[in-house]
Amino acid sequence: MKMIGLSAMVTYREESETRLADRLVDGLRSAIRKDMESNQVFLMVGLAYVSTNPDMQEAANLFRTFTFLSLTHSVACVVEDKVPRLICWVAGQGVNLFMGIRVLQCIWEVI
């Protein structure tokens, strides 16, 4: 939903007659590009994590945390604030790392 909304905003801003929002359009494009990069990894690791039959509460909290971090990362991209963007990116990668370690632990137990 977020990606659709961001894409619609970019399209609307590009087609509007005022060019005062060029900086906003660049920020939205940056947010979309960065989401595409990080969400692919999250989807792959998340699917592997869910296939290990994890605790429902832990899985829900991890997915909620990544969603919140992704939203705040997009806002930080639009307002061009580097420190919150870095913090959100690192924390999101931490969620991916945690889920990846859980998947590897599950595979190790099977072997």
Side-chain angles (χ1 to χ4, degrees):
M1 295 301 292
K2 181 181 77 165
M3 294 294 292
I4 294 169
L6 289 174
S7 298
M9 277 182 88
V10 167
T11 303
Y12 173 75
R13 293 289 183 164
E14 284 178 342
E15 292 178 358
S16 68
E17 295 184 20
T18 60
R19 291 295 171 186
L20 298 174
D22 284 341
R23 200 166 146 169
L24 177 62
V25 170
D26 290 339
L28 290 169
R29 282 187 184 151
S30 173
I32 291 170
R33 193 175 327 109
K34 291 179 188 321
D35 281 343
M36 296 291 281
E37 293 169 359
S38 66
N39 288 349
Q40 290 174 355
V41 174
F42 175 73
L43 287 174
M44 290 186 290
V45 174
L47 285 173
Y49 177 71
V50 169
S51 69
T52 64
N53 198 17
D55 178 44
M56 292 297 278
Q57 190 66 32
E58 179 181 281
N61 286 334
L62 286 170
F63 279 73
R64 287 178 189 144
T65 301
F66 188 84
T67 302
F68 172 76
L69 291 168
S70 177
L71 288 171
T72 53
H73 183 264
S74 294
V75 170
C77 283
V78 171
V79 298
E80 297 178 358
D81 197 357
K82 292 183 180 184
V83 175
R85 191 170 78 190
L86 175 67
I87 292 170
C88 291
W89 182 81
V90 169
Q93 296 307 311
V95 170
N96 287 339
L97 182 65
F98 180 82
M99 288 192 299
I101 289 171
R102 290 287 189 170
V103 169
L104 292 175
Q105 286 175 343
C106 183
I107 292 170
W108 186 255
E109 289 175 3
V110 172
I111 295 177

